[in-house]
Amino acid sequence: MPAKRSGRSTREQGLERTDNDMDFTSWPQVGMINQKNYYTDYLKRDDQVLALRQQNEESRARMAKAARDKDRALAQSGQNGAVNGLDADGDVEDTTMGEDGTTASTDPDANGSKVIVIHPGSQNLRIGLASDALPKTIPMVVARRSTENEWEHEERKPKRRKLDNGEEPEDPKQTFDEDFQAQFATMTVDLKNRMRRKARRIVPNCREVAISHNRKSTPIVMPELNDTSRVDWTEVTPGEADAPPGHFVGHAALRIPDTSTPRYKLSWPLRFGYFNEEDYESKDEIVRDMSVILEDAIENQLGISRKRDRVQYGCVYVIPDLYERKYVSAILDLLLRELGFSRVCFIQESMAGSFGAGYATCVIVDVGAQKTSICCVDEGMCVESSRINLRYGGSDVTETFMRMMLTDSFPYSDINLRRRYDFLLGDELKHKFCTLSIMEFAQQQFEFYLRVAGQDTRQYYFRAYDEVILAPMGFYYPSIFDNSEKLRRRRTIVNRSYDLYDGSPNDQTSAAQAQVLAMAPQPEGVANSRALPSELVSNGQSAAKPAKGAASKLAATTAGKDTPQQTTPAPDDAELNGERVGTPQAGEKEQSAPQSDPITEMINSADIRDRTLPILPLGQAIALSIEQGSKGDERKLRDFVGGIIPIGGGAQTPMFRQFLEEELAETQTKFRKDIMVAPPPREIDAQVLVWKGASVFGKLKSTNDSWIGTMEYDRLGSMASSARSDRVYHQDYIARIRYSNVLPPPPNHPKLLNIPNTGLSSGHYTSAGYASRLAREQPLNIEADAELGMPIDLVGLPGVFEGDESCLNGLEHPPVHHPADRALLKPLSALGKGSSSTASVSFLRRTEYISTDQNRRSEHKVPGTPAGTRKRKRPEIENENDPARILQDVVAGFDVANPHDASSQDQDSGINNKRAWEKPEHPTNSSLQLVDSYPLLPDLDAVSNSFWNIIVKFSTNPGSSSNAYDSRLDAAILRPLPLPASVIEQHDLAQAAWNENPKGAAPPKPNYHYEFFLPEDSDEATDIKKRLNTKSAHRDKANRVNGAVDEEGQEDESRLFRYPRIRHYQTFQQSGDVENPFSDSVALALYDPSDDSKSHERGQAKQKAAYFYPVGQRTFVRARHIAPSTKVGGVDEDDKVDLLEVYTRSSTADDNMKRARIRDEKYYATASPPEVATEA
């Protein structure tokens, strides 16, 4: 091997290493990181986050202000006592301290008095302070001066069909197109099928009768001065000095006459929850009108007139669930720049609705005027994938109702919902008459008043059949709505929002909304897609084959953004759009799929989304939203299904919740028992529930992260809202925490009482009675909650919303208490004693603890028996209608009446019955003595199975005005007048409706009019009574009036009496059941022959008894003054009877035979009515 060279030889050869401090490169070099131990604090401190840093700065500013106030108070005060919130030592009083270091007394937002809550809608604006109980509601409209109205050059609404010559058809059934008529007929058939399933009878030809009546109906003109509900129209007539206002807002705008000078044009800034691009020319005009409406509401409704005062206020603004970023950015700039609020906070509608309802997990269905939004809320946060926005609402119901009524010959055929007074009229008709109650499925007559500025009021009468139900049923048949102009001028003013980095559309979307768009009718040029991904199909049904077209791509693209990707290898024989995918077969060549730009695909999908109208039946949309919100979790799906809350003005339709629950039960059969559509709790109006929840959100301390201040907006601009929208905040608003019944802590320290020292040996101050009296005298300074410690969340209690409140009552068989717990029921005076009865507990009401114990002891206690002995009870039959129970009661009744031959097998019962018969006692008051007794018997001469008595009660004295009884009333005649044809028709309709559902109501009775006749004097009445008594000995001695002749012209032996007409009466109330005259009430007459001195004169030989008579009907009548030349009861007033001349004759054998046949029940149905024995 070569020898090792020394350092000297290396230096001689020039190989020695030298260091001249020169680097190999000038580029800065970074040393290697020690991966075993490295640390960074980037974005880990609160002062590095702008929002948190601002909170800390505001907290320090408030603390510094409090310290300055403290020093100023100490400097101005020369006393040592407490001044301005300071104690004697000069420190701040110990009050409730918040997390931010502020006290309850110094925090200006503690009660929400410095927070304005704004909930804008397409038709109404609700605004108010967070501390207010209810908001102020004004129409979301502004009227500006223009050369024409909003309807003068527009087509009428509802839009009528026109013939080839440009005129409208004369036949009302051809007023609208064939699609509407076909859908109208389909809904009618579906409603009738629903009626048959509910065993409801359908009256035929009701629609034809209603159409015939509407064609003949003419308005009644009423002078405007006589109209008590006339409208105060807005005056816009210019004066000599002042010009007319440039604009009007809210109710004043809707009350401007259509023919005003100058003209005003109405504009609605919002449409379907976004900016209205149809009625405006630029975005600046929309924002300007929004600013005018909000500023007018703040000044006139809230009383904040000066702009510099708004700096002290914050604003909570409600936005849609699927909001657009351009809309939110414009509103944020408007609130901070134009209106001058100090800070702004945004909250979504569904989240605010859950806050207002008090449900942490629910499904919010907000039915507004122009849109319906659906969203699942889980633990107080919106589930993004479940948000749905449908473009129909209450305004579509109004228009559809008018279209249906116009088809059925509506008397006011010139209605145009674009006119202001017709718009208000249509909304009024919808609120008054539309319903979803099947009970209203009958022909009904309604009325309304048409009020036009400068014209007399016109009163219309019209009839409706099923239109009042079919119009709100359009929520489940949305194709009946007019959807032709809902996408007009879409994206012509407000462009779509794009991401700043990759240029992709970044407006809010959801998987549920994408499925709605895929199932909705597709625009021209786009294939109709009805496909659903497999993970979105409910009830275990398999997904349909994906359809071709961009709509399916839209659903897949959006669903992929909100739901995790689930990739499954396709089988070898899988097909997609009719083409085989997977492993290529023999003879096939692999073809590479064309690569498309994902940004371009997203833009194309957004274009299709803007051109597709989201329309889907309400029940299907709710089921789809719940399926997306649960994400396959069955437990969460049951929670959502059991907490559906419909809110908004459109959900105010009667029976809306019940109808929706039935629709969901038909589609979701698996969870039918779990479905519950609950009303808003605590009787809160469903229209203001979102605003109420937003006011609660604005007062929460944890929402400080959601506020956007002026300084933050100046630094970040509109990015401030987008930067905060992706963050998740844990709200401290949870229903079970809010409704907890934990008692508050004592507000003060223990109080020492100055008691005079008289010694403790007497035991006066150590007794329990003294402590009780002392506790009652000392007031307790505790503010009880509004519910007084009672839980108000009724969601978990079964059957409450169906009317079954048995779960709220005490247990029928309460559990037996432990002996150690019984001592807690003792009063204070019984403490320390061996035994005490719980019956005298002073601080408890009569609850099941006491009443059950008393009943248990009293069950075996029998008066007159020694202690310890118990009487054997006869087994009772629970069912009162049981034949054995009825037989037992009948036998017991005979045993009581005849105790000597009692047939009862129970000897004790026979002894008791005999004792009760010999010495009767009052059942509740034993001190009362029996004076006399009467057997209860029917009057066989007056009672039959075919007739009953009618009790007629007069509202005023029909006879003389004196307080003495008028004996003429015993012989009065009440003559019924014939019913007019209109009353008979109404009664037939009411009878037919009652025949369909006879439960719960008495059968209808016709309201007769009567003429009342009385004899001329009391002597005449006495003679009449004698004459009518066939057994009276003085019958032939009755006076008569000369002039009564028989058919041969000879003077008759019969007696003639005169009855002058007193007055006209009308029926105003009737009751009773003629089919069961004994079921309601009976008339009782006590008769004793020994007390009747004139019984021998009448020839009566009845026994002493209490005779009862069946009362089949009770009629209440009142006097009515009829004007001349009026027709009442089918008889003209000029043809009324002024005098009756009544004569009597003895009955013949034929008369007696006819009377016997009618009284016999088996001849009652076929016997013809007898001839009237009394003629006039």
Side-chain angles (χ1 to χ4, degrees):
M1 57 179 298
K4 182 180 180 180
R5 297 186 180 187
S6 62
R8 183 177 179 181
S9 60
T10 304
R11 184 170 56 255
E12 292 176 353
Q13 296 179 3
L15 299 178
E16 182 182 9
R17 179 180 179 180
T18 60
D19 190 1
N20 54 4
D21 297 332
M22 296 290 293
D23 296 332
F24 292 100
T25 177
S26 61
W27 189 264
Q29 300 181 11
V30 180
M32 299 295 294
I33 298 177
N34 184 5
Q35 298 182 2
K36 295 182 179 180
N37 185 15
Y38 70 93
Y39 173 78
T40 179
D41 59 354
Y42 178 67
L43 294 180
K44 290 186 176 182
R45 298 197 306 267
D46 291 346
D47 57 355
Q48 294 177 345
V49 180
L50 178 60
L52 299 177
R53 186 166 64 250
Q54 286 183 344
Q55 295 179 27
N56 295 333
E57 292 175 358
E58 292 177 359
S59 177
R60 287 193 295 269
R62 284 194 293 267
M63 295 176 64
K65 183 178 180 299
R68 289 194 299 269
D69 295 341
K70 171 186 173 181
D71 296 340
R72 186 180 299 106
L74 291 175
Q76 294 178 357
S77 176
Q79 303 176 358
N80 294 328
V83 178
N84 293 333
L86 304 178
D87 56 13
D89 297 333
D91 297 330
V92 179
E93 291 183 352
D94 187 10
T95 56
T96 303
M97 187 70 67
E99 297 178 358
D100 54 356
T102 61
T103 62
S105 59
T106 59
D107 190 0
D109 298 335
N111 57 353
S113 60
K114 293 297 182 181
V115 177
I116 298 177
V117 181
I118 301 176
H119 178 208
S122 302
Q123 185 167 329
N124 291 317
L125 169 69
R126 293 177 175 87
I127 187 172
L129 298 175
S131 58
D132 294 342
L134 295 174
K136 308 295 190 302
T137 303
I138 59 175
M140 192 71 179
V141 63
V142 59
R144 293 188 177 275
R145 278 190 297 178
S146 177
T147 57
E148 60 183 14
N149 288 332
E150 65 275 3
W151 59 271
E152 288 182 344
H153 298 285
E154 293 287 343
E155 193 172 4
R156 287 194 299 174
K157 184 179 180 180
K159 183 169 57 177
R160 279 76 161 176
R161 188 178 64 173
K162 294 185 179 180
L163 302 178
D164 297 337
N165 55 3
E167 297 181 356
E168 298 179 358
E170 297 181 358
D171 188 2
K173 294 185 178 181
Q174 300 179 2
T175 305
F176 304 101
D177 53 8
E178 291 79 2
D179 294 339
F180 173 78
Q181 298 295 339
Q183 186 66 24
F184 191 5
T186 302
M187 293 177 64
T188 303
V189 173
D190 293 346
L191 180 58
K192 291 182 178 179
N193 293 334
R194 183 185 296 269
M195 295 284 294
R196 294 187 182 97
R197 290 196 301 268
K198 293 182 176 294
R200 302 281 299 175
R201 183 174 178 269
I202 301 175
V203 181
N205 300 329
C206 283
R207 187 186 300 276
E208 289 74 11
V209 174
I211 294 175
S212 177
H213 176 274
N214 293 339
R215 288 176 178 173
K216 301 176 183 178
S217 178
T218 57
I220 301 175
V221 180
M222 178 190 308
E224 187 177 5
L225 296 177
N226 297 339
D227 188 2
T228 57
S229 302
R230 57 180 178 270
V231 180
D232 295 333
W233 301 99
T234 304
E235 297 182 0
V236 297
T237 304
E240 298 180 356
D242 300 333
H247 66 270
F248 291 93
V249 177
H251 295 285
L254 292 178
R255 297 303 184 186
I256 299 177
D258 292 67
T259 58
S260 62
T261 304
R263 292 286 196 271
Y264 282 83
K265 184 178 182 179
L266 298 184
S267 300
W268 306 81
L270 297 183
R271 191 166 181 254
F272 305 113
Y274 310 119
F275 285 142
N276 184 6
E277 300 179 80
E278 180 181 358
D279 301 333
Y280 287 88
E281 299 297 332
S282 65
K283 179 182 175 182
D284 295 338
E285 295 181 2
I286 304 177
V287 177
R288 179 193 60 183
D289 284 353
M290 285 284 297
S291 176
V292 169
I293 295 175
L294 293 178
E295 192 167 4
D296 181 84
I298 293 173
E299 292 180 0
N300 297 329
Q301 302 296 332
L302 303 183
I304 307 174
S305 57
R306 296 183 300 181
K307 185 176 181 179
R308 61 175 178 268
D309 294 338
R310 301 174 197 162
V311 183
Q312 305 175 8
Y313 291 85
C315 178
V316 177
Y317 194 91
V318 181
I319 59 176
D321 298 329
L322 288 174
Y323 57 87
E324 294 183 354
R325 294 184 181 272
K326 288 291 185 69
Y327 168 72
V328 177
S329 300
I331 294 300
L332 179 61
D333 184 80
L334 171 65
L335 296 176
L336 291 177
R337 302 283 189 186
E338 298 294 334
L339 300 181
F341 290 112
S342 61
R343 52 181 184 170
V344 176
C345 173
F346 292 103
I347 182 174
Q348 292 172 301
E349 288 178 339
S350 298
M351 185 176 178
S354 67
F355 275 31
Y359 291 89
T361 301
C362 60
V363 178
I364 299 297
V365 182
D366 189 357
V367 184
Q370 297 180 0
K371 71 176 182 65
T372 300
S373 61
I374 308 169
C375 182
C376 298
V377 180
D378 187 17
E379 294 298 332
M381 300 299 296
C382 297
V383 182
E384 295 184 358
S385 60
S386 66
R387 296 174 294 178
I388 291 179
N389 189 343
L390 304 175
R391 297 209 172 182
Y392 56 73
S395 299
D396 296 280
V397 175
T398 304
E399 183 179 357
T400 304
F401 181 54
M402 290 295 99
R403 295 171 73 185
M404 292 180 176
M405 292 308 306
L406 289 173
T407 304
D408 293 345
S409 302
F410 190 57
Y412 179 40
S413 59
D414 192 36
I415 188 171
N416 182 9
L417 296 180
R418 298 187 187 275
R419 289 196 293 250
R420 296 155 198 172
Y421 56 86
D422 285 345
F423 170 78
L424 298 175
L425 175 62
D427 201 53
E428 179 185 359
L429 295 180
K430 179 192 68 174
H431 285 293
K432 282 187 176 181
F433 307 136
C434 287
T435 179
L436 285 173
S437 175
I438 304 299
M439 302 294 294
E440 303 294 334
F441 188 76
Q443 184 186 161
Q444 304 177 72
Q445 182 169 339
F446 305 108
E447 66 173 354
F448 65 91
Y449 296 86
L450 178 63
R451 299 178 175 91
V452 185
Q455 300 181 14
D456 292 335
T457 302
R458 283 170 285 175
Q459 182 182 8
Y460 286 87
Y461 288 92
F462 72 97
R463 289 186 181 180
Y465 179 45
D466 56 356
E467 299 86 353
V468 294
I469 303 179
L470 294 179
M473 277 181 61
F475 290 122
Y476 309 95
Y477 300 86
S479 58
I480 195 69
F481 297 147
D482 185 7
N483 304 317
S484 58
E485 299 180 355
K486 292 185 177 181
L487 292 178
R488 191 170 67 174
R489 299 191 62 186
R490 176 66 170 160
R491 294 300 182 192
T492 57
I493 296 178
V494 182
N495 297 325
R496 191 182 301 113
S497 175
Y498 295 94
D499 190 83
L500 295 177
Y501 298 99
D502 57 7
S504 61
N506 60 355
D507 283 330
Q508 292 292 309
T509 57
S510 67
Q513 184 72 8
Q515 296 306 313
V516 171
L517 295 175
M519 300 171 67
Q522 302 299 322
E524 297 180 359
V526 179
N528 191 5
S529 174
R530 302 289 178 182
L532 289 177
S534 58
E535 65 271 11
L536 302 181
V537 179
S538 60
N539 299 332
Q541 299 177 359
S542 60
K545 183 184 297 183
K548 298 181 181 180
S552 59
K553 298 180 182 179
L554 170 63
T557 303
T558 313
K561 294 174 62 179
D562 293 333
T563 57
Q565 297 289 342
Q566 299 180 1
T567 58
T568 304
D572 295 341
D573 56 349
E575 294 185 2
L576 179 62
N577 296 339
E579 300 178 359
R580 302 178 60 85
V581 296
T583 306
Q585 302 296 327
E588 296 182 358
K589 297 182 180 180
E590 296 185 4
Q591 297 180 358
S592 59
Q595 299 294 332
S596 60
D597 186 9
I599 304 300
T600 305
E601 290 290 337
M602 296 177 65
I603 294 176
N604 295 335
S605 300
D607 291 337
I608 299 173
R609 183 169 59 248
D610 292 338
R611 291 186 289 120
T612 305
L613 186 65
I615 293 295
L616 195 69
L618 184 60
Q620 299 182 23
I622 295 175
L624 181 59
S625 175
I626 293 176
E627 189 70 21
Q628 287 292 326
S630 60
K631 298 180 180 179
D633 189 355
E634 185 174 349
R635 180 188 62 83
K636 188 172 294 185
L637 190 145
R638 292 182 183 275
D639 292 341
F640 286 145
V641 168
I644 302 175
I645 307 176
I647 60 176
Q652 296 294 96
T653 305
M655 300 297 291
F656 182 89
R657 295 186 297 102
Q658 292 79 354
F659 196 94
L660 176 59
E661 191 168 338
E662 293 178 1
E663 285 290 327
L664 293 176
E666 292 179 0
T667 57
Q668 302 292 328
T669 57
K670 182 178 179 182
F671 307 100
R672 177 174 298 176
K673 296 182 179 179
D674 301 321
I675 295 176
M676 186 182 68
V677 181
R682 301 183 300 278
E683 299 181 357
I684 298 179
D685 188 3
Q687 301 181 81
V688 302
L689 195 66
V690 174
W691 182 93
K692 195 68 176 177
S695 65
V696 174
F697 183 80
K699 292 185 287 187
L700 297 178
K701 295 182 180 180
S702 61
T703 56
N704 291 333
D705 293 344
S706 303
W707 289 107
I708 303 173
T710 306
M711 182 184 65
E712 185 178 4
Y713 184 74
D714 293 338
R715 294 180 181 180
L716 301 179
S718 61
M719 293 179 58
S721 60
S722 61
R724 292 174 178 269
S725 61
D726 298 333
R727 299 183 59 182
V728 179
Y729 303 100
H730 299 282
Q731 308 295 341
D732 58 358
Y733 180 93
I734 302 177
R736 55 178 176 269
I737 296 179
R738 180 184 181 186
Y739 296 138
S740 60
N741 296 322
V742 181
L743 292 177
N748 301 320
H749 296 288
K751 184 177 182 180
L752 299 178
L753 303 178
N754 184 15
I755 301 176
N757 186 11
T758 58
L760 301 178
S761 59
S762 62
H764 176 66
Y765 299 112
T766 58
S767 63
Y770 178 78
S772 300
R773 182 182 60 82
L774 196 62
R776 290 192 300 267
E777 292 176 354
Q778 297 298 326
L780 186 61
N781 187 17
I782 294 180
E783 295 181 0
D785 57 339
E787 291 79 21
L788 300 178
M790 297 295 294
I792 62 175
D793 190 2
L794 305 179
V795 176
L797 301 180
V800 173
F801 296 101
E802 286 78 14
D804 183 12
E805 299 182 355
S806 58
C807 57
L808 301 179
N809 303 327
L811 298 177
E812 184 177 358
H813 302 287
V816 180
H817 301 286
H818 194 272
D821 296 335
R822 292 184 177 274
L824 299 177
L825 299 178
K826 293 183 178 181
L828 295 178
S829 60
L831 294 178
K833 299 181 181 180
S835 63
S836 176
S837 174
T838 58
S840 59
V841 179
S842 59
F843 58 90
L844 283 180
R845 296 182 181 178
R846 189 174 179 84
T847 60
E848 66 270 12
Y849 299 102
I850 302 174
S851 59
T852 306
D853 185 68
Q854 290 181 347
N855 295 336
R856 189 182 298 112
R857 293 196 301 268
S858 61
E859 286 178 357
H860 310 290
K861 184 178 180 181
V862 179
T865 58
T869 62
R870 296 183 178 179
K871 175 175 176 276
R872 185 182 62 182
K873 297 181 60 178
R874 177 184 295 180
E876 295 183 357
I877 303 175
E878 297 181 356
N879 188 6
E880 296 181 355
N881 298 325
D882 188 77
R885 176 62 179 272
I886 297 175
L887 180 60
Q888 176 183 335
D889 294 341
V890 172
V891 173
F894 282 99
D895 291 344
V896 173
N898 305 280
H900 55 279
D901 58 349
S903 60
S904 177
Q905 298 178 0
D906 195 340
Q907 296 180 0
D908 296 340
S909 177
I911 296 173
N912 294 334
N913 291 338
K914 184 177 181 180
R915 183 184 307 164
W917 185 259
E918 294 177 352
K919 297 181 179 180
E921 294 182 0
H922 194 273
T924 58
N925 190 355
S926 59
S927 62
L928 297 179
Q929 298 295 328
L930 178 64
V931 177
D932 198 357
S933 61
Y934 293 79
L936 186 64
L937 299 176
D939 190 352
L940 299 179
D941 294 336
V943 177
S944 68
N945 295 329
S946 305
F947 295 99
W948 56 87
N949 296 281
I950 298 179
I951 296 179
V952 180
K953 185 175 181 180
F954 296 86
S955 59
T956 58
N957 187 3
S960 60
S961 58
S962 61
N963 296 329
Y965 179 73
D966 192 352
S967 60
R968 296 182 300 165
L969 297 177
D970 297 338
I973 295 179
L974 194 65
R975 175 175 175 261
L977 299 178
L979 294 175
S982 59
V983 177
I984 296 177
E985 182 181 357
Q986 294 180 2
H987 176 261
D988 293 341
L989 294 176
Q991 184 68 32
W994 182 85
N995 293 334
E996 297 178 9
N997 185 21
K999 297 182 179 180
K1005 305 175 183 62
N1007 293 329
Y1008 283 93
H1009 289 254
Y1010 301 92
E1011 286 184 340
F1012 188 67
F1013 300 88
L1014 282 178
E1016 294 180 344
D1017 52 21
S1018 57
D1019 295 337
E1020 186 83 1
T1022 304
D1023 293 339
I1024 293 174
K1025 290 188 289 184
K1026 291 180 180 180
R1027 184 64 181 170
L1028 295 179
N1029 188 2
T1030 58
K1031 298 180 181 182
S1032 175
H1034 303 279
R1035 179 173 180 267
D1036 296 333
K1037 298 180 181 181
N1039 296 329
R1040 59 185 176 89
V1041 178
N1042 295 329
V1045 296
D1046 56 8
E1047 297 178 355
E1048 298 179 358
Q1050 303 296 328
E1051 185 176 356
D1052 194 2
E1053 296 180 356
S1054 59
R1055 303 298 186 259
L1056 188 145
F1057 306 97
R1058 295 182 182 274
Y1059 276 79
R1061 180 179 179 273
I1062 303 301
R1063 62 177 58 88
H1064 179 90
Y1065 283 94
Q1066 65 175 358
T1067 304
F1068 70 92
Q1069 184 178 353
Q1070 297 184 96
S1071 62
D1073 188 0
V1074 296
E1075 300 294 337
N1076 301 304
F1078 292 95
S1079 61
D1080 186 15
S1081 60
V1082 295
L1084 200 64
L1086 301 179
Y1087 177 73
D1088 191 352
S1090 61
D1091 297 338
D1092 190 359
S1093 60
K1094 299 182 180 181
S1095 60
H1096 62 281
E1097 297 181 2
R1098 294 191 296 267
Q1100 296 178 351
K1102 293 184 178 180
Q1103 71 177 76
K1104 175 184 177 182
Y1107 294 97
F1108 63 88
Y1109 306 88
V1111 177
Q1113 181 176 329
R1114 287 180 293 178
T1115 302
F1116 298 84
V1117 297
R1118 58 189 174 190
R1120 181 180 181 183
H1121 300 282
I1122 307 300
S1125 302
T1126 57
K1127 189 175 183 179
V1128 178
V1131 178
D1132 293 334
E1133 183 67 14
D1134 297 337
D1135 299 334
K1136 68 181 180 180
V1137 178
D1138 295 326
L1139 180 67
L1140 291 181
E1141 293 183 351
V1142 181
Y1143 70 93
T1144 62
R1145 62 175 174 83
S1146 301
S1147 59
T1148 62
D1150 295 338
D1151 297 335
N1152 297 333
M1153 180 66 68
K1154 292 180 181 179
R1155 182 169 56 185
R1157 290 182 58 189
I1158 294 175
R1159 289 177 57 86
D1160 196 347
E1161 183 179 4
K1162 52 184 184 177
Y1163 294 106
Y1164 174 69
T1166 58
S1168 58
E1171 298 180 1
V1172 180
T1174 301
E1175 299 181 1

